[in-house]
Amino acid sequence: MEKTFLMVKPDGVQRGLIGEIVNRFESKGYQLVGGKLMSISQELAEQHYGEHKERPFFGELVDFITSGPVFAMVWEGENVISTARLMMGATNPKESAPGTIRGDFAVTVGKNIIHGSDSPESAEREIGLFFKEEEMTSYEKTV
Ligand code: CMP
C-alpha cells in the first residue's frame, strides 16, 4: 500500500492545527502509520530540503523549519501521495483553494502549515529521513 510523508510545520503546531490536520486525513479514509512531535536539527533540515539548496529562500526555509517543533507523520492508503497534495492545496496559499488545508489556514508561502511528499521517490526518501522502520506500524481494522 502507498505511503507518504506529511509534516505539520512549526506554524501549524503553534496554531494548534495538529488535530484538525490529522482529522482531515483520518476522515478521508487514510491510516496514520507513524507520528511524532519532534525538533528538526539543522542537518536534517538541510537534508530534507536539499533540492532547494540553490534557491534564494533556502536559509529562510531551514531557519523556519528548525524554529520550533513539527509533527512528522507517515500516512498510508490508495493514491495517498497525490491525494494528500490535493488536500493540502497549492504551495503558495495565494493560490490554494478554499477547502484545502493551506487554502483554509495559511496566508504566506514561507509559513504554509504543512509539507507533503510530491512523488513516490520523495516519499520513500523523506520517510527514511524521519522514521525508523520500527517507529511505523500498520493494522487491519477489527472494529
Ligand atoms: P514545502 O512543501 O515544505 O517545500 C518547500 C518549501 O519552500 C515550501 O513548502 C514553501 O514553504 C517554501 N517556499 C517556497 N517558495 C518560497 C519563497 N519564495 N519564500 C520562502 N519559502 C518558500
Side-chain angles (χ1 to χ4, degrees), residues 1-132:
M1 187 63 86
E2 192 170 283
K3 287 190 182 67
T4 195
F5 174 72
L6 301 180
M7 171 168 65
V8 183
K9 297 185 182 185
D11 53 337
V13 172
Q14 288 170 35
R15 288 175 55 194
L17 291 172
I18 294 174
E20 166 76 32
I21 289 169
V22 168
N23 186 35
R24 287 190 180 211
F25 292 102
E26 281 189 328
S27 301
K28 177 73 176 170
Y30 291 128
Q31 189 179 103
L32 183 64
V33 299
K36 56 184 172 184
L37 188 69
M38 61 180 281
S39 296
I40 299 188
S41 66
Q42 180 87 11
E43 188 190 358
L44 178 57
E46 287 178 8
Q47 278 180 296
H48 173 64
Y49 280 132
E51 68 182 290
H52 299 295
K53 208 168 179 162
E54 306 306 325
R55 305 274 189 106
F57 57 83
F58 182 68
E60 201 181 310
L61 189 57
V62 169
D63 284 351
F64 176 60
I65 210 70
T66 57
S67 68
V70 299
F71 191 64
M73 300 169 281
V74 181
W75 285 88
E76 186 176 89
E78 208 174 311
N79 298 317
V80 68
I81 299 171
S82 56
T83 304
R85 297 275 298 183
L86 283 177
M87 291 169 67
M88 287 159 51
T91 302
N92 190 336
K94 270 197 255 177
E95 289 149 20
S96 49
T100 65
I101 293 167
R102 289 164 173 160
D104 288 349
F105 301 113
V107 175
T108 61
V109 69
K111 294 185 178 162
N112 62 356
I113 305 285
I114 185 167
H115 167 85
S117 306
D118 62 4
S119 66
E121 296 71 31
S122 308
E124 194 180 343
R125 189 181 77 83
E126 293 171 359
I127 290 169
L129 275 177
F130 282 83
F131 285 88
K132 295 180 188 141

